[in-house]
């Protein structure tokens, strides 16, 4: 099997719904799954000229680091409220997410027009936070190359707009017991 297929199998084997929420704890705990996820997220963007990966807090930090290491580029953190984020930064407030929250996203001013940036996170649903990251990246003059996620739960228009590539779809994970 290839890297993407191996990672897909590992995700489907280790992912769980816990108390109605997506639980990636076993994915991160499994050394095989962990070693396969970064290369699989990076695979569609190898050769795309990516110079930096943005990891969106919180699980995106882990996944972004794995992906950046595989691509041989640096990691930039996209932080949410309550985090310490010293120095100059760009802040963009997202549109409402699936819970109806508008989330401020902060990224250190470390990107330039020479950068092509890949966003990495665990899940995409409405795309509101990914759009905020894209807006912040572009505000620094960098080019937004796309979005790599473990789970795609979005619509085709958002998928195309944010160049979303995923390892699995939410339908493949089975029904959740997420509270409405």
């Amino acid at each position: 099997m290839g890297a993407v297929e191996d990672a897909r199998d590992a995700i489907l084997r280790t992912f769980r719904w816990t108390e109605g929420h997506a639980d990636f704890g076993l994915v991160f705990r499994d050394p095989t799954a962990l070693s396969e996820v970064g290369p699989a997220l990076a695979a569609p963007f190898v050769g795309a000229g990516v110079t930096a990966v943005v990891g969106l807090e919180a699980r995106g930090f882990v996944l972004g680091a794995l992906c950046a290491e595989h691509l041989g580029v640096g990691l930039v953190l996209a932080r949410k409220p309550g985090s310490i984020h010293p120095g100059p930064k760009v802040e963009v407030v997202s549109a409402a997410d699936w819970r109806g929250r508008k989330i401020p996203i902060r990224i250190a001013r470390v990107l330039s027009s020479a950068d092509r940036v890949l966003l990495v996170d665990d899940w995409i649903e409405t795309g509101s936070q990914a759009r905020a990251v894209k807006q912040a990246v572009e505000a620094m003059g960098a080019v937004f190359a796309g979005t790599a996620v473990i789970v795609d739960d979005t619509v085709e228009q958002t998928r195309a707009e944010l160049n979303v590539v995923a390892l699995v779809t939410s339908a493949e994970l089975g029904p959740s017991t997420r509270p409405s």
Side-chain angles (χ1 to χ4, degrees):
M1 279 205 249
V4 173
E5 293 82 14
D6 290 345
R8 282 179 44 77
D9 288 346
I11 297 299
L12 294 172
R13 177 175 44 78
T14 57
F15 177 85
R16 300 288 181 270
W17 291 103
T18 302
E19 299 171 1
H21 298 281
D23 184 351
F24 290 95
L26 293 176
V27 176
F28 294 155
R29 174 63 181 96
D30 184 288
T32 301
L34 192 62
S35 71
E36 292 170 345
V37 168
L41 290 170
F45 297 93
V46 170
V50 171
T51 61
V53 169
V54 170
L56 184 57
E57 192 166 2
R59 290 181 283 246
F61 287 5
V62 173
L63 299 168
L66 295 169
C67 188
E69 190 278 332
H70 186 74
L71 290 171
V73 301
L75 176 67
V76 177
L77 304 178
R79 307 295 305 259
K80 295 178 184 177
S83 60
I84 297 171
H85 201 32
K89 60 194 138 299
V90 172
E91 181 175 320
V92 176
V93 177
S94 75
D97 66 8
W98 65 273
R99 294 180 187 163
R101 302 171 307 164
K102 295 181 179 183
I103 308 291
I105 306 288
R106 297 178 190 100
I107 302 177
R109 285 192 173 274
V110 295
L111 299 170
S112 73
S113 61
D115 287 307
R116 288 185 52 80
V117 179
L118 173 63
L119 169 62
V120 177
D121 203 5
D122 61 333
W123 196 290
I124 189 165
E125 190 168 50
T126 66
S128 63
Q129 293 181 30
R131 281 186 196 92
V133 169
K134 180 180 183 205
Q135 186 179 351
V137 163
E138 291 173 345
M140 288 183 260
V143 174
F144 186 84
T147 308
V149 295
I150 293 178
V151 182
D152 179 356
D153 192 20
T154 194
V155 298
E156 185 55 41
Q157 180 182 349
T158 300
R159 199 172 294 118
E161 172 191 352
L162 297 170
N163 190 22
V164 175
V165 179
L167 299 181
V168 299
T169 65
S170 59
E172 293 175 277
L173 300 175
S176 78
T177 56
R178 178 171 44 189
S180 305

PDB file of all heavy atoms in Angstrom, residues 73-87:
ATOM      1  N   VAL A  73       9.968  21.729   5.610  1.00  0.00           N
ATOM      2  CA  VAL A  73       9.720  23.162   5.763  1.00  0.00           C
ATOM      3  C   VAL A  73       9.415  23.459   7.227  1.00  0.00           C
ATOM      4  O   VAL A  73       9.263  22.551   8.044  1.00  0.00           O
ATOM      5  CB  VAL A  73       8.553  23.637   4.860  1.00  0.00           C
ATOM      6  CG1 VAL A  73       8.860  23.342   3.393  1.00  0.00           C
ATOM      7  CG2 VAL A  73       7.223  23.008   5.264  1.00  0.00           C
ATOM      8  N   GLY A  74       9.279  24.741   7.549  1.00  0.00           N
ATOM      9  CA  GLY A  74       8.993  25.145   8.918  1.00  0.00           C
ATOM     10  C   GLY A  74       7.512  25.133   9.241  1.00  0.00           C
ATOM     11  O   GLY A  74       6.661  25.016   8.353  1.00  0.00           O
ATOM     12  N   LEU A  75       7.247  25.273  10.531  1.00  0.00           N
ATOM     13  CA  LEU A  75       5.890  25.268  11.063  1.00  0.00           C
ATOM     14  C   LEU A  75       5.553  26.645  11.622  1.00  0.00           C
ATOM     15  O   LEU A  75       6.362  27.250  12.328  1.00  0.00           O
ATOM     16  CB  LEU A  75       5.769  24.224  12.176  1.00  0.00           C
ATOM     17  CG  LEU A  75       4.433  24.144  12.907  1.00  0.00           C
ATOM     18  CD1 LEU A  75       3.333  23.639  11.969  1.00  0.00           C
ATOM     19  CD2 LEU A  75       4.562  23.229  14.120  1.00  0.00           C
ATOM     20  N   VAL A  76       4.357  27.120  11.327  1.00  0.00           N
ATOM     21  CA  VAL A  76       3.837  28.372  11.859  1.00  0.00           C
ATOM     22  C   VAL A  76       2.556  28.023  12.615  1.00  0.00           C
ATOM     23  O   VAL A  76       1.723  27.270  12.103  1.00  0.00           O
ATOM     24  CB  VAL A  76       3.545  29.379  10.724  1.00  0.00           C
ATOM     25  CG1 VAL A  76       2.934  30.658  11.278  1.00  0.00           C
ATOM     26  CG2 VAL A  76       4.807  29.664   9.918  1.00  0.00           C
ATOM     27  N   LEU A  77       2.408  28.568  13.817  1.00  0.00           N
ATOM     28  CA  LEU A  77       1.253  28.241  14.644  1.00  0.00           C
ATOM     29  C   LEU A  77       0.139  29.266  14.482  1.00  0.00           C
ATOM     30  O   LEU A  77       0.378  30.467  14.559  1.00  0.00           O
ATOM     31  CB  LEU A  77       1.671  28.164  16.110  1.00  0.00           C
ATOM     32  CG  LEU A  77       2.810  27.192  16.417  1.00  0.00           C
ATOM     33  CD1 LEU A  77       3.154  27.244  17.902  1.00  0.00           C
ATOM     34  CD2 LEU A  77       2.480  25.785  15.970  1.00  0.00           C
ATOM     35  N   ALA A  78      -1.073  28.775  14.264  1.00  0.00           N
ATOM     36  CA  ALA A  78      -2.267  29.621  14.244  1.00  0.00           C
ATOM     37  C   ALA A  78      -2.952  29.405  15.587  1.00  0.00           C
ATOM     38  O   ALA A  78      -3.439  28.313  15.872  1.00  0.00           O
ATOM     39  CB  ALA A  78      -3.182  29.242  13.087  1.00  0.00           C
ATOM     40  N   ARG A  79      -2.957  30.457  16.403  1.00  0.00           N
ATOM     41  CA  ARG A  79      -3.411  30.344  17.794  1.00  0.00           C
ATOM     42  C   ARG A  79      -4.826  30.882  17.960  1.00  0.00           C
ATOM     43  O   ARG A  79      -5.256  31.774  17.232  1.00  0.00           O
ATOM     44  CB  ARG A  79      -2.472  31.121  18.719  1.00  0.00           C
ATOM     45  CG  ARG A  79      -1.000  30.791  18.610  1.00  0.00           C
ATOM     46  CD  ARG A  79      -0.621  29.385  19.011  1.00  0.00           C
ATOM     47  NE  ARG A  79      -1.029  28.995  20.324  1.00  0.00           N
ATOM     48  CZ  ARG A  79      -0.241  28.955  21.396  1.00  0.00           C
ATOM     49  NH1 ARG A  79       1.028  29.302  21.294  1.00  0.00           N
ATOM     50  NH2 ARG A  79      -0.715  28.574  22.556  1.00  0.00           N
ATOM     51  N   LYS A  80      -5.499  30.347  18.968  1.00  0.00           N
ATOM     52  CA  LYS A  80      -6.846  30.780  19.328  1.00  0.00           C
ATOM     53  C   LYS A  80      -6.775  31.542  20.649  1.00  0.00           C
ATOM     54  O   LYS A  80      -5.725  31.584  21.285  1.00  0.00           O
ATOM     55  CB  LYS A  80      -7.762  29.568  19.426  1.00  0.00           C
ATOM     56  CG  LYS A  80      -7.941  28.868  18.077  1.00  0.00           C
ATOM     57  CD  LYS A  80      -8.819  27.642  18.187  1.00  0.00           C
ATOM     58  CE  LYS A  80      -8.901  26.919  16.864  1.00  0.00           C
ATOM     59  NZ  LYS A  80      -9.698  25.692  16.962  1.00  0.00           N
ATOM     60  N   PRO A  81      -7.872  32.154  21.081  1.00  0.00           N
ATOM     61  CA  PRO A  81      -7.866  32.945  22.321  1.00  0.00           C
ATOM     62  C   PRO A  81      -7.374  32.148  23.528  1.00  0.00           C
ATOM     63  O   PRO A  81      -7.566  30.934  23.615  1.00  0.00           O
ATOM     64  CB  PRO A  81      -9.333  33.331  22.511  1.00  0.00           C
ATOM     65  CG  PRO A  81      -9.913  33.258  21.148  1.00  0.00           C
ATOM     66  CD  PRO A  81      -9.179  32.154  20.448  1.00  0.00           C
ATOM     67  N   GLY A  82      -6.721  32.872  24.436  1.00  0.00           N
ATOM     68  CA  GLY A  82      -6.245  32.270  25.657  1.00  0.00           C
ATOM     69  C   GLY A  82      -4.819  31.779  25.580  1.00  0.00           C
ATOM     70  O   GLY A  82      -4.236  31.365  26.569  1.00  0.00           O
ATOM     71  N   SER A  83      -4.223  31.853  24.416  1.00  0.00           N
ATOM     72  CA  SER A  83      -2.849  31.386  24.254  1.00  0.00           C
ATOM     73  C   SER A  83      -1.891  32.569  24.331  1.00  0.00           C
ATOM     74  O   SER A  83      -2.251  33.702  24.039  1.00  0.00           O
ATOM     75  CB  SER A  83      -2.694  30.682  22.899  1.00  0.00           C
ATOM     76  OG  SER A  83      -3.009  31.581  21.858  1.00  0.00           O
ATOM     77  N   ILE A  84      -0.684  32.274  24.741  1.00  0.00           N
ATOM     78  CA  ILE A  84       0.362  33.291  24.750  1.00  0.00           C
ATOM     79  C   ILE A  84       0.940  33.335  23.347  1.00  0.00           C
ATOM     80  O   ILE A  84       1.344  32.312  22.802  1.00  0.00           O
ATOM     81  CB  ILE A  84       1.447  32.956  25.780  1.00  0.00           C
ATOM     82  CG1 ILE A  84       0.827  32.957  27.177  1.00  0.00           C
ATOM     83  CG2 ILE A  84       2.618  33.925  25.676  1.00  0.00           C
ATOM     84  CD1 ILE A  84       1.740  32.445  28.254  1.00  0.00           C
ATOM     85  N   HIS A  85       0.960  34.522  22.781  1.00  0.00           N
ATOM     86  CA  HIS A  85       1.404  34.664  21.394  1.00  0.00           C
ATOM     87  C   HIS A  85       2.153  35.991  21.257  1.00  0.00           C
ATOM     88  O   HIS A  85       1.607  36.973  20.774  1.00  0.00           O
ATOM     89  CB  HIS A  85       0.182  34.611  20.488  1.00  0.00           C
ATOM     90  CG  HIS A  85       0.467  34.254  19.069  1.00  0.00           C
ATOM     91  ND1 HIS A  85       1.470  33.416  18.681  1.00  0.00           N
ATOM     92  CD2 HIS A  85      -0.154  34.632  17.930  1.00  0.00           C
ATOM     93  CE1 HIS A  85       1.460  33.286  17.365  1.00  0.00           C
ATOM     94  NE2 HIS A  85       0.484  34.014  16.893  1.00  0.00           N
ATOM     95  N   PRO A  86       3.408  36.017  21.723  1.00  0.00           N
ATOM     96  CA  PRO A  86       4.148  37.276  21.736  1.00  0.00           C
ATOM     97  C   PRO A  86       4.552  37.742  20.339  1.00  0.00           C
ATOM     98  O   PRO A  86       4.584  36.963  19.398  1.00  0.00           O
ATOM     99  CB  PRO A  86       5.381  36.936  22.571  1.00  0.00           C
ATOM    100  CG  PRO A  86       5.563  35.467  22.393  1.00  0.00           C
ATOM    101  CD  PRO A  86       4.189  34.903  22.219  1.00  0.00           C
ATOM    102  N   GLY A  87       4.870  39.008  20.254  1.00  0.00           N
ATOM    103  CA  GLY A  87       5.388  39.575  19.017  1.00  0.00           C
ATOM    104  C   GLY A  87       4.294  40.012  18.066  1.00  0.00           C
ATOM    105  O   GLY A  87       3.113  39.782  18.295  1.00  0.00           O
TER     106      GLY A  87
END
